[in-house]
Amino acid sequence: MEELIKLGKTPQVTIKEKASGDKRSIEANKFLWGRLYKSISNFTGYLPIEVHLLCGHLFLTEQKTINEVQVPYVRSTTDLSVEDFSLYIQQIESYFAQLGWSNDE
């Protein structure tokens, strides 16, 4: 905005109310890290951060283009909508259940 002012332009600022439910809640994040990743960590022997990185690679990888070359890009869980976050949780639970993990652990 400062740059626009320096150039003699008039910036326009729009303020709007944040829609509730756009992003996951703190409780959902606590579930992801404190319960789900921890449980899978106990099952696999990997650290929770390693489980997080693995799950991102498995379920949040997209393609970006750099100089006309497709490269993998892993989305951050903090950018997921509530709907996408719920789907991410379901994908993790389903994937690791197929490997013998149970969320009762």
Side-chain angles (χ1 to χ4, degrees), residues 72-90:
Y73 169 80
V74 179
R75 292 177 61 195
S76 171
T77 57
T78 59
D79 296 332
L80 298 177
S81 67
V82 171
E83 184 178 331
D84 288 342
F85 188 77
S86 295
L87 176 60
Y88 176 67
I89 296 291
Q90 291 171 7

Side-chain angles (χ1 to χ4, degrees), residues 2-105:
E2 278 183 44
E3 193 62 35
L4 289 173
I5 294 169
K6 286 179 186 176
L7 294 172
K9 301 191 180 211
T10 305
Q12 180 179 354
V13 177
T14 303
I15 299 174
K16 58 183 185 177
E17 182 179 356
K18 180 180 175 185
S20 63
D22 278 353
K23 299 285 181 177
R24 65 178 182 195
S25 66
I26 292 171
E27 290 77 21
N29 194 55
K30 286 181 183 177
F31 170 78
L32 179 65
W33 283 93
R35 304 247 345 248
L36 186 59
Y37 285 165
K38 186 175 182 180
S39 176
I40 293 170
S41 173
N42 291 336
F43 172 73
T44 62
Y46 292 110
L47 297 171
I49 187 64
E50 293 172 311
V51 173
H52 172 71
L53 293 171
L54 175 63
C55 291
H57 175 75
L58 289 169
F59 307 115
L60 300 176
T61 300
E62 299 176 344
Q63 295 294 313
K64 297 280 187 177
T65 303
I66 299 175
N67 204 22
E68 299 183 26
V69 175
Q70 294 288 308
V71 296
Y73 169 80
V74 179
R75 292 177 61 195
S76 171
T77 57
T78 59
D79 296 332
L80 298 177
S81 67
V82 171
E83 184 178 331
D84 288 342
F85 188 77
S86 295
L87 176 60
Y88 176 67
I89 296 291
Q90 291 171 7
Q91 290 172 317
I92 292 170
E93 291 174 334
S94 175
Y95 181 84
F96 283 97
Q98 292 175 21
L99 298 177
W101 168 82
S102 170
N103 62 4
D104 296 332
E105 295 181 29

